[in-house]
Amino acid sequence: MRALVTGGAGFIGSHLCDGLAAAGYEVVCIDDLSSGCPENLAALLADGRAELRVADARDPVAVAAAGRVDRVFHLAAPASPPRYLGRPVDTISTCFEATLRALELADKTGARVVVASSSEVYGEPDEHPQREETLGRVDPVGPRACYQEGKRAAEALATSFAGAGRADVRIARIFNTYGPRMREDDGRVISSFAARAVRGEPLEVAGDGRQTRSFCYVTDMVRGLLALADAPNAGAGPVNLGNPEEVEILALANRVIAVADSSSEIVFGAPAPGDPTRRKPDTSRARRLLGFAPEIDLETGLAHTLAALTGRVL
Ligand code: NAD
């Protein structure tokens, strides 16, 4: 079996490549290295279990050149808020055009395609926790529209290919994921808290810190993505993938400090624009269709993440 992973040099993508290689797949990655890096794939590249093609996933020639594949995992997108807010046009165009390319390749090769969507499609939802049926509340001209509407368009595109019988589609609505290989500068909450705690610098909590998130350790996410690709009956509808354990951001800061055994203080900053107040996946669909349940709790996941940052072996 041969798999294409777009965004394969990134955080989730590289762990997914590890999982695919371990399952015996031949892996080819397309990544423009805008936030990913070849070091994330070092072990796989060294022994030839993965190939990295540095290209834009919007480029039809580069994507078609991946050739015959059995699976396409489409993860390429500017994914962290500072990155997507800094290049909004690139973000929305990547969300649409690169998804179109991935679907066209699946159409041509008969590969099953998993499209990485995001919990951001729910915006500021009226319902909590978020079920796949939750329609979400997104402002098309709001501060995060380039990403939120980009991911919604990617889902609509994937659904259209499935409806037209042109591709065997899976849509993964990924909730906050963390673990080793997150970039320190990606502006996501666990990466910045962990890096600051390790250096003994203050952890800045946005607003009053009462906003919640649910954090999934990356190996659990990879199991979910692989199961979604493999399940014969998962269908083209979206599936939430994440960990339903909900934590307030202030409590998260305290847990990171405790696990890192750090002397860092907590300071409070301005609330982030467009930041949703609560986020928690209803994962019953993933449980029913894929038998998916996260296995790594927050303490364990934080310990592994911090150990990777400091080069410590647990
Ligand atoms: P990441 O930034 O580490 O990975 C994205 C990868 O895509 C990077 O390697 C980057 O270089 C590459 N890329 C970006 N634009 C590209 C383009 N035009 N052509 C080729 N490569 C391109 O982020 P991640 O957290 O691993 O995210 C992977 C996917 O999961 C993204 O689609 C993201 O939207 C989605 N997601 C992630 C999270 C999370 O918490 N990490 C949550 C929801 C959704």
Side-chain angles (χ1 to χ4, degrees):
M1 296 274 271
R2 190 161 187 269
L4 169 67
V5 181
T6 71
F11 161 52
I12 300 177
S14 63
H15 285 278
L16 176 64
C17 291
D18 289 340
L20 285 165
Y25 276 85
E26 188 187 319
V27 181
V28 53
C29 300
I30 292 180
D31 201 301
D32 67 357
L33 304 183
S34 51
S35 62
C37 59
E39 293 71 39
N40 287 341
L41 294 167
L44 299 182
L45 295 175
D47 62 15
R49 283 180 296 158
E51 181 196 338
L52 173 60
R53 300 183 180 185
V54 179
D56 192 318
R58 289 171 289 189
D59 176 352
V61 177
V63 175
R68 184 201 61 78
V69 285
D70 305 286
R71 295 274 190 270
V72 178
F73 291 87
H74 172 52
L75 278 75
S80 73
R83 207 161 284 280
Y84 62 68
L85 295 173
R87 38 190 285 226
V89 176
D90 239 12
T91 299
I92 193 157
S93 96
T94 298
C95 286
F96 188 83
E97 284 181 56
T99 305
L100 179 59
R101 298 287 102 79
L103 290 160
E104 286 168 344
L105 183 70
D107 183 10
K108 202 168 99 193
T109 59
R112 183 174 289 164
V113 55
V114 177
V115 172
S117 181
S118 166
S119 58
E120 289 284 319
V121 299
Y122 295 116
E124 186 64 70
D126 294 323
E127 200 180 79
H128 189 80
Q130 290 78 52
R131 295 175 303 133
E132 288 83 354
E133 292 82 2
T134 306
L135 287 183
R137 200 142 57 82
V138 173
D139 179 356
V141 294
R144 295 176 182 224
C146 61
Y147 183 76
Q148 293 175 316
E149 296 290 13
K151 288 291 183 183
R152 289 168 73 96
E155 288 199 11
L157 200 51
T159 306
S160 304
F161 267 74
R166 288 181 55 184
D168 183 2
V169 165
R170 304 289 155 90
I171 297 171
R173 284 197 183 147
I174 299 176
F175 282 65
N176 289 58
T177 303
Y178 73 103
R181 300 184 195 153
M182 277 186 309
R183 285 172 65 117
E184 277 189 43
D185 64 352
D186 76 1
R188 284 185 267 194
V189 65
I190 290 195
S191 41
S192 44
F193 281 180
R196 289 181 155 266
V198 164
R199 291 196 292 264
E201 295 168 2
L203 273 54
E204 185 172 315
V205 167
D208 63 4
R210 301 297 305 274
Q211 67 277 26
T212 69
R213 291 293 179 277
S214 306
F215 296 100
C216 183
Y217 190 64
V218 66
T219 53
D220 280 333
M221 181 55 63
V222 166
R223 277 194 310 105
L225 291 168
L226 293 174
L228 182 59
D230 285 345
N233 59 344
V239 178
N240 288 339
L241 291 178
N243 187 324
E245 184 192 341
E246 192 179 4
V247 58
E248 289 187 351
I249 296 303
L250 180 55
L252 173 74
N254 281 310
R255 280 157 95 164
V256 171
I257 289 171
V259 175
D261 196 17
S262 164
S263 57
S264 289
E265 290 172 5
I266 292 174
V267 296
F268 293 88
D275 203 22
T277 40
R278 299 183 79 189
R279 187 69 91 223
K280 170 180 169 160
D282 177 322
T283 52
S284 32
R285 185 177 290 180
R287 216 172 30 243
R288 193 178 73 252
L289 291 178
L290 318 176
F292 171 77
E295 289 170 357
I296 309 287
D297 63 31
L298 189 57
E299 249 70 31
T300 310
L302 286 176
H304 283 288
T305 305
L306 286 156
L309 260 185
T310 55
R312 206 157 35 86
V313 178
L314 280 188

